[in-house]
Amino acid sequence: MIWECFFMGTLLATGWILLVTRGVRGWCQPALSFVLGSCTYVVIGLGQVVLHLPTYPVVTLAIAWVFNLSCLGSALRAGRLTRASVNGPMLAASFGGLLMVVVTLRQLNFVTWHSDSFRYAMASALIADSHFVEMSTNLLTKRMFGYPVLHAPALFIGEYYFRSLAPLLATATTWTLAWFVFEGLNTSGATQRDKWLMSLIAVGLLVSNNRFLWNSFYLNGHLLCALTLLVTVGAGWLRARGSQPRATYVLLQNLAVPVLVTTRPEGALLAAFALVPSLASAGTSKAERTLLLSNLGATCLGWHGYVMHSCLVRGDIEASSIGLCGLGAILLATAFMVHRWQAVTRWFAYLVPAAEIALWCALLAFSLVRPAVMRSSIAATLRNVGLDGASWGSSILVLSALVAATLTFTRAPDRTLLRFPVTTFIPLMLLLAPLRGEAYRVGNWDSLTRMLIHIVPLAVLLLAASASSRGHLPFRRRVRAKAVQPTMATDGLARE
Amino acid sequence: MRRARAMPPNAPNTLDIKSMLFGALALAIVVNVAQFWSVNARTRKNYRSFAHYPNADLVAIDGHERSLFRRHHQRALEFREAISPGATLVFPADRELVDDELAQQLLSYGRARELRRVPYDPSVLGKSVRTTKHVLAKVKAKKRRAREFLVVARGRDAREFALLRRNETDMLIEIALLPKAIRSEVSP
């Protein structure tokens, strides 16, 4: 129990130091600290793997603490960390609360699993004993690194997983979502009451979802993927909305992206699609674009290069790793071009429609090449989602209907940043079926069914963020003909 | 990026979006809550939103005789039950000669501590080895193209094992039991 408390405390402390030394205050601190701390830990571990250093968790923790202390030291020297910048009660409540949650969850011992969970635990054990080179091609390409490395220190106490990690990630997801909604509505000038109410409703919608709660105890990387996707997209959206401090949002995005890439096999594609609107946004500076592109490119090249090399040593050729290495190289080349020639960014305005069209064309092409796989996948997905074949109930149907109605009947500035990753998710996931050469199945064990959680928090954010949007009727002219007096003008709308 | 089209605040097609959205999302919460327990009731224990287990040992969680976990990791579990934790394994350096799955299972769930890669051919060295005595664990091949698996040692406290192969059987043999010539090959 002490070891688990120490590890979770280290994650929280790492993120807290990163936030406080950048002057971030407020009720977002505990959740964002845990998210940033977890991401930093994964990034340190990733560095160890790519540089062929031992992957013992003690080494990772030692590097994390050296990093923490050097951050603290430099902030103190530069005068960025003063007594006034530290919110004592918030700090005490965060660590006290974390301790209580860990102790309670260790007693409750809730866990949900599936056969993949045993593979994740196996990967954790190999990382913990620094046997990473013994990972098979299957384990490297499917279970990857981001989630197992966070559970690896549990082997110290003879367990294969931390009982509190998944619930803490779920809490961080919920809390971060609430804060994104609150801060997003804040930039639209919504009233205090509306901001709190909508944040609470967003949290309610997420935690009342049966599959979200299942994922909150599930030994799998889905929730970490959902959290990092939410952070990547949400931070980009808030940055575009002009929320401050801007540098913190860039940091959040840049730490979440490597975790997203190394948590799920489709993570690199998800990260690329999540960043497209951020890169296309007129408000993104040249330096930010270069940083985002080079970060994603370097992570893809670093991780998938390592996987490709490990596969080649075993005599295997992994097409997906080769493809994603190529993507990494292209992204790095683009980052270089953006840095060198400003004129390149003119073309970024067409990124969103081009990516959307390319995705749908690819889906159409693969449907023609492998019609049977695509037909079976669509049929299975419709049964899973529409006829409750996979324990989602009708929640996905309801959520989809709400998203469709909101996108059709309302307009909001900068919403493309939230809309694009949501609307491209389904074609992207369907495209993975022919790419892996296997159709999706009916039941709880189906991959796409479980992957749907990746997009749920983001869809809820999209809905809640639309509270300050403008109404838009497609049959506008007819309404104008019957012109009536305006019915409402919220504070947010008045400011817009 | 294209921004939303600017509309005057008193545009006639402006709707009370905020109230409608509050209502719709509240309704969605009610729908989720209403079906929550019925979804749990018709789902297997490991797919329910909450499932309590007596401890955090995966082997205990799904370790019963015909479980998924035991089926997938039987070789490692047999090794773990037969041999004390911390054993050293010697495997051929050529990774194509032995399934990687076996090495990673023995290192994770089998509780072996170390794995050394040595250049030898397990089929060539295994030809002259007899394993009628000291078989501590045996896993029969249930699938086509799968191999039988034996753990051969004098007792639970054996420390060093080499992987050899004979007649479609993978054998983890305590190095001390091997003939001197083979012993020098696997532990130079």
Side-chain angles (χ1 to χ4, degrees):
Chain A
M1 187 182 300
I2 294 169
W3 177 247
E4 190 162 344
C5 287
F6 170 73
F7 178 70
M8 297 303 160
T10 300
L11 297 186
L12 189 68
T14 307
W16 182 84
I17 290 168
L18 280 173
L19 283 182
V20 168
T21 52
R22 275 158 186 78
V24 178
R25 299 192 62 168
W27 60 274
C28 63
Q29 257 189 10
L32 288 188
S33 296
F34 193 76
V35 175
L36 276 177
S38 307
C39 292
T40 310
Y41 186 85
V42 175
V43 170
I44 294 171
L46 185 62
Q48 286 170 261
V49 167
V50 174
L51 298 173
H52 292 271
L53 295 173
T55 58
Y56 296 113
V58 225
V59 179
T60 319
L61 281 168
I63 298 173
W65 274 107
V66 168
F67 172 74
N68 289 346
L69 295 175
S70 57
C71 272
L72 267 181
S74 66
L76 280 171
R77 264 204 312 276
R80 277 184 284 127
L81 191 65
T82 57
R83 185 166 283 190
S85 61
V86 179
N87 184 343
M90 173 76 83
L91 182 65
S94 303
F95 281 91
L98 182 88
L99 206 71
M100 273 175 54
V101 169
V102 173
V103 171
T104 311
L105 286 166
R106 277 199 70 80
Q107 297 305 319
L108 287 175
N109 200 22
F110 281 152
V111 64
T112 55
W113 55 270
H114 165 255
S115 58
D116 291 352
S117 307
F118 305 136
R119 307 290 291 173
Y120 277 103
M122 183 189 274
S124 295
L126 292 173
I127 293 170
D129 291 331
S130 197
H131 292 308
F132 201 75
V133 287
E134 296 301 336
M135 267 205 193
S136 65
T137 302
N138 178 288
L139 215 55
L140 273 175
T141 53
K142 291 192 171 167
R143 305 305 143 216
M144 304 179 75
F145 180 75
Y147 193 63
V149 74
L150 287 169
H151 279 295
L155 266 288
F156 260 54
I157 45 173
E159 291 176 357
Y160 285 98
Y161 64 93
F162 280 129
R163 301 174 207 192
S164 60
L165 182 68
L168 282 171
L169 288 173
T171 311
T173 307
T174 317
W175 199 318
T176 307
L177 170 72
W179 184 70
F180 279 164
V181 171
F182 188 91
E183 194 57 27
L185 293 181
N186 199 26
T187 59
S188 306
T191 61
Q192 198 74 356
R193 180 178 148 273
D194 286 351
K195 285 187 281 185
W196 281 113
L197 193 60
M198 198 38 101
S199 301
L200 282 177
I201 286 182
V203 169
L205 188 55
L206 193 60
V207 299
S208 63
N209 191 310
N210 189 297
R211 289 300 87 183
F212 177 76
L213 282 182
W214 180 67
N215 272 286
S216 304
F217 300 98
Y218 183 31
L219 291 179
N220 203 313
H222 292 298
L223 197 63
L224 183 62
C225 183
L227 172 60
T228 46
L229 185 63
L230 176 74
V231 168
T232 308
V233 175
W237 174 63
L238 286 181
R239 189 163 48 80
R241 299 291 298 136
S243 178
Q244 295 294 334
R246 198 177 168 86
T248 306
Y249 295 120
V250 179
L251 177 76
L252 272 170
Q253 281 189 299
N254 278 308
L255 277 175
V257 162
V259 183
L260 191 50
V261 171
T262 56
T263 298
R264 295 279 312 164
E266 71 282 5
L269 292 176
L270 279 179
F273 275 91
L275 287 181
V276 161
S278 270
L279 294 168
S281 172
T284 307
S285 70
K286 187 178 104 174
E288 287 166 353
R289 277 200 184 106
T290 311
L291 192 60
L292 287 173
L293 280 167
S294 50
N295 183 26
L296 179 58
T299 313
C300 280
L301 205 58
W303 169 251
H304 289 287
Y306 177 86
V307 173
M308 193 173 73
H309 172 256
S310 300
C311 295
L312 283 175
V313 167
R314 291 166 172 79
D316 299 332
I317 293 174
E318 262 303 306
S320 63
S321 296
I322 297 169
L324 291 169
C325 272
L327 175 70
I330 292 169
L331 289 168
L332 280 177
T334 315
F336 176 75
M337 286 195 287
V338 169
H339 179 68
R340 199 72 193 266
W341 300 291
Q342 179 70 28
V344 175
T345 51
R346 258 193 326 202
W347 297 96
F348 279 41
Y350 304 105
L351 262 182
V352 170
E356 238 161 359
I357 291 168
L359 189 59
W360 285 104
C361 287
L363 189 63
L364 188 68
F366 274 100
S367 305
L368 295 173
V369 174
R370 291 188 166 172
V373 172
M374 197 57 84
R375 224 177 8 246
S376 308
S377 295
I378 292 172
T381 306
L382 288 176
R383 274 191 68 183
N384 283 337
V385 172
L387 301 172
D388 192 18
S391 306
W392 277 100
S394 56
S395 59
I396 291 293
L397 279 186
V398 172
L399 206 58
S400 309
L402 284 174
V403 168
T406 307
L407 291 177
T408 311
F409 296 114
T410 68
R411 287 221 171 117
D414 298 312
R415 201 171 56 187
T416 311
L417 282 111
L418 299 178
R419 193 271 305 162
F420 181 79
V422 175
T423 52
T424 51
F425 182 77
I426 296 300
L428 184 63
M429 291 304 111
L430 283 175
L431 192 59
L432 291 180
L435 281 175
R436 69 176 190 168
E438 198 184 324
Y440 292 122
R441 301 161 292 172
V442 177
N444 283 307
W445 43 88
D446 173 54
S447 317
L448 177 57
T449 301
R450 286 177 291 133
M451 282 192 282
L452 285 173
I453 194 67
H454 299 176
I455 210 69
V456 168
L458 197 54
V460 174
L461 174 61
L462 170 66
L463 288 173
S466 300
S468 64
S469 61
R470 290 273 172 90
H472 164 73
L473 291 177
F475 43 91
R476 195 176 164 193
R477 281 189 183 165
R478 268 162 55 188
V479 174
R480 188 171 283 167
K482 296 177 187 172
V484 289
Q485 286 301 307
T487 51
M488 73 142 208
T490 63
D491 292 355
L493 290 174
R495 266 184 55 155
E496 280 175 6
Chain B
M1 175 176 300
R2 193 166 67 91
R3 289 196 168 230
R5 200 182 304 162
M7 279 188 282
N10 58 351
N13 60 346
T14 299
L15 300 171
D16 189 355
I17 296 301
K18 191 178 64 178
S19 310
M20 285 169 68
L21 206 59
F22 278 147
L25 296 189
L27 195 65
I29 295 175
V30 172
V31 170
N32 278 353
V33 172
Q35 58 191 344
F36 191 91
W37 297 111
S38 64
V39 168
N40 266 5
R42 59 175 181 267
T43 310
R44 230 169 58 187
K45 185 178 179 183
N46 60 316
Y47 290 116
R48 282 180 209 148
S49 49
F50 302 103
H52 168 77
Y53 291 91
N55 58 47
D57 186 356
L58 288 178
V59 183
I61 284 176
D62 191 41
H64 58 86
E65 205 51 37
R66 296 169 71 184
S67 75
L68 197 69
F69 180 68
R70 190 164 278 279
R71 244 188 0 247
H72 286 183
H73 306 98
Q74 198 169 5
R75 292 176 295 182
L77 294 181
E78 291 290 339
F79 182 77
R80 167 187 167 134
E81 280 154 22
I83 304 295
S84 307
T88 298
L89 309 174
V90 177
F91 268 53
D94 185 350
R95 286 170 185 270
E96 288 181 39
L97 292 177
V98 184
D99 175 17
D100 267 341
E101 188 65 32
L102 179 60
Q104 67 185 16
Q105 283 193 15
L106 291 169
L107 285 168
S108 53
Y109 294 127
R111 291 187 178 169
R113 179 181 294 168
E114 198 189 332
L115 188 137
R116 281 204 304 264
R117 296 271 178 188
V118 174
Y120 70 90
D121 188 332
S123 304
V124 173
L125 297 188
K127 269 181 194 165
S128 55
V129 174
R130 289 189 172 187
T131 54
T132 46
K133 280 184 189 173
H134 307 301
V135 175
L136 290 192
K138 186 173 186 175
V139 178
K140 285 187 178 170
K142 285 177 187 160
K143 284 184 194 166
R144 261 195 323 154
R145 287 197 292 171
R147 295 176 193 277
E148 198 172 66
F149 176 73
L150 297 181
V151 178
V152 184
R154 276 180 297 200
R156 268 187 70 78
D157 296 329
R159 297 283 80 188
E160 288 198 322
F161 292 84
L163 182 84
L164 299 177
R165 182 176 293 154
R166 196 186 61 196
N167 298 337
E168 298 303 305
T169 302
D170 279 336
M171 304 172 289
L172 265 186
I173 305 182
E174 185 184 353
I175 290 180
L177 288 176
L178 290 170
K180 202 175 173 184
I182 298 179
R183 214 183 310 157
S184 63
E185 290 262 353
V186 296
S187 52

